[in-house]
Amino acid sequence: MQRRDFVKSTLGLVGATLAGTALAGTNAVQPQTVVKNKFKLQYAPHFGMFTNSAGKDVIDQLKFMADNGFTALEDNGMMGRPVEEQEKIAKEMTRLGMKMGVFVVDKGGNGQNTLAAGKQEFIDIFLNGCKKAVEVAKRVNAKFMTVVPGDFQRNLPIGIQTGHVIDALRRGSDILAPNGLTMVLEPLSDTPNLFLRTSDQTYEICRAVNSPACKILFDVYHMQKNEGHIIPHIDWCWSEIGYFQIGDNPGRKEPTTGEINYKNVFKHVYEKGKAENKDFIWGMEHGNAFPGKEGETALIKAYVESDSFTV
């Protein structure tokens, strides 16, 4: 190489290095635009999970989620937000390329207005909630909404209660199905008084309702507490599962903080879903194991680790 060519080449490299340094300096004072992590699954944080890192503004929180590789959001309380805020959230999520996960159909609380009772007043509250949910879903580009049937009706045989629940859910499905929406039934472990407790019970009800608008919300945390044997239950209920939620046990915090091997669970569902051309949103319905920014950083690292399965 001629000396003058070598000098030109060297100066070019130096210039490129200086330009890169300048860009790095610029990026340090501008919002981050490069996604830090590329997850295999669609994990959905909720508002409040990253307030120490992103602040209290929901739009800033969405940006932080997207910057860190999260491609979905879930917001149980979306139906209670003002219309203007719903529209603002939806607009930003569209810009960021994020999907909307579940919100809860407002029927007065998990144990309230139990559909197992067969009372018309309770059914009317549920159906009115479904009608309102359709409008919210259109506004925020949602497809899934959580439904909890309520508590046991202790003075009725279990079969009669189950029949009442199925009848009510069929009527709810008739409202949601024409709009391409799906209610996902969530069996819970919060109290033995709740009617819906296990995945196989929920599977039976979904099969009886027989509608694409009624599927299972398989919350791994609750199912670990109520039935265990997580991967076999996922396989048994597979055709009726519409959505997953996450929480380690004990503690209901992020993966790696309890006894559940989430890396194996994620890998199993990813491979099974890929074979059938199905994918799911995974709602991060849990708390942070540690406080402050450090805790939020640890939470993200836990998802990076749990998502690092090989395929």
Side-chain angles (χ1 to χ4, degrees):
M1 177 185 289
Q2 296 292 326
R3 181 179 182 277
R4 61 177 179 274
D5 294 330
F6 174 80
V7 171
K8 285 171 63 180
S9 176
T10 304
L11 288 173
L13 288 170
V14 171
T17 301
L18 290 173
T21 303
L23 284 172
T26 303
N27 286 342
V29 296
Q30 291 181 350
Q32 185 177 335
T33 56
V34 178
V35 174
K36 289 183 178 179
N37 308 298
K38 187 168 180 58
F39 295 115
K40 300 180 187 72
L41 298 175
Q42 299 178 89
Y43 304 114
H46 55 79
F47 292 125
M49 186 164 268
F50 298 117
T51 51
N52 291 286
S53 300
K56 294 183 179 180
D57 181 78
V58 293
I59 301 303
D60 288 340
Q61 290 181 48
L62 282 173
K63 292 174 181 175
F64 181 85
M65 293 172 193
D67 285 347
N68 282 277
F70 297 105
T71 55
L73 168 82
E74 71 172 28
D75 183 30
N76 285 345
M78 181 64 81
M79 286 189 71
R81 294 185 183 275
V83 170
E84 317 82 69
E85 187 174 31
Q86 292 174 2
E87 292 173 340
K88 185 179 179 182
I89 290 169
K91 182 178 179 181
E92 182 63 14
M93 289 180 67
T94 298
R95 189 186 74 81
L96 294 169
M98 297 178 71
K99 291 183 180 180
M100 183 66 210
V102 292
F103 60 84
V104 174
V105 173
D106 185 7
K107 57 174 277 297
N110 285 348
Q112 302 304 306
N113 305 307
T114 175
L115 302 180
K119 294 181 179 179
Q120 190 60 48
E121 60 189 285
F122 294 166
I123 296 170
D124 289 343
I125 289 170
F126 166 62
L127 297 179
N128 186 51
C130 289
K131 291 172 184 175
K132 291 180 179 179
V134 169
E135 299 308 310
V136 174
K138 289 178 180 177
R139 208 173 287 132
V140 300
N141 303 315
K143 181 180 178 182
F144 300 101
M145 52 225 59
T146 305
V147 168
V148 178
D151 282 348
F152 276 105
Q153 186 69 25
R154 297 290 179 180
N155 63 342
L156 292 175
I158 186 66
I160 302 301
Q161 295 184 64
T162 301
H164 287 161
V165 171
I166 291 167
D167 287 343
L169 295 175
R170 283 177 176 168
R171 294 183 63 184
S173 296
D174 288 343
I175 295 170
L176 300 175
N179 294 282
L181 305 177
T182 301
M183 59 179 158
V184 283
L185 308 181
E186 184 175 16
L188 296 171
S189 64
D190 299 327
T191 165
N193 288 326
L194 288 161
F195 172 81
L196 204 60
R197 297 271 295 162
T198 63
S199 61
D200 63 292
Q201 177 196 15
T202 315
Y203 174 88
E204 180 181 27
I205 290 171
C206 286
R207 298 293 287 182
V209 174
N210 192 28
S211 170
C214 184
K215 295 295 179 182
I216 300 170
L217 193 172
F218 196 105
D219 187 316
V220 179
Y221 164 76
H222 288 296
M223 294 304 90
Q224 174 71 358
K225 290 179 68 179
N226 280 355
E227 62 190 22
H229 216 38
I230 293 298
I231 288 177
H233 276 102
I234 288 172
D235 286 346
W236 292 330
C237 297
W238 180 258
S239 65
E240 299 300 322
I241 295 175
Y243 194 95
F244 286 93
Q245 284 182 331
I246 304 162
D248 215 336
N249 182 58
R252 201 174 183 178
K253 307 300 183 184
E254 65 265 23
T256 73
T257 59
E259 67 186 1
I260 303 172
N261 189 335
Y262 266 104
K263 185 180 286 189
N264 277 358
V265 174
F266 290 157
K267 175 182 172 68
H268 182 77
V269 175
Y270 175 85
E271 291 181 338
K272 192 174 180 69
K274 191 172 183 180
E276 299 183 20
N277 197 29
K278 293 175 67 174
D279 61 2
F280 301 91
I281 294 173
W282 291 76
M284 297 160 57
E285 198 184 43
H286 57 74
N288 297 14
F290 306 101
K293 286 186 178 181
E294 295 80 8
E296 293 168 3
T297 299
L299 185 152
I300 295 170
K301 287 181 178 178
Y303 274 90
V304 172
E305 165 59 24
S306 299
D307 189 79
S308 66
F309 56 85
T310 56
V311 294

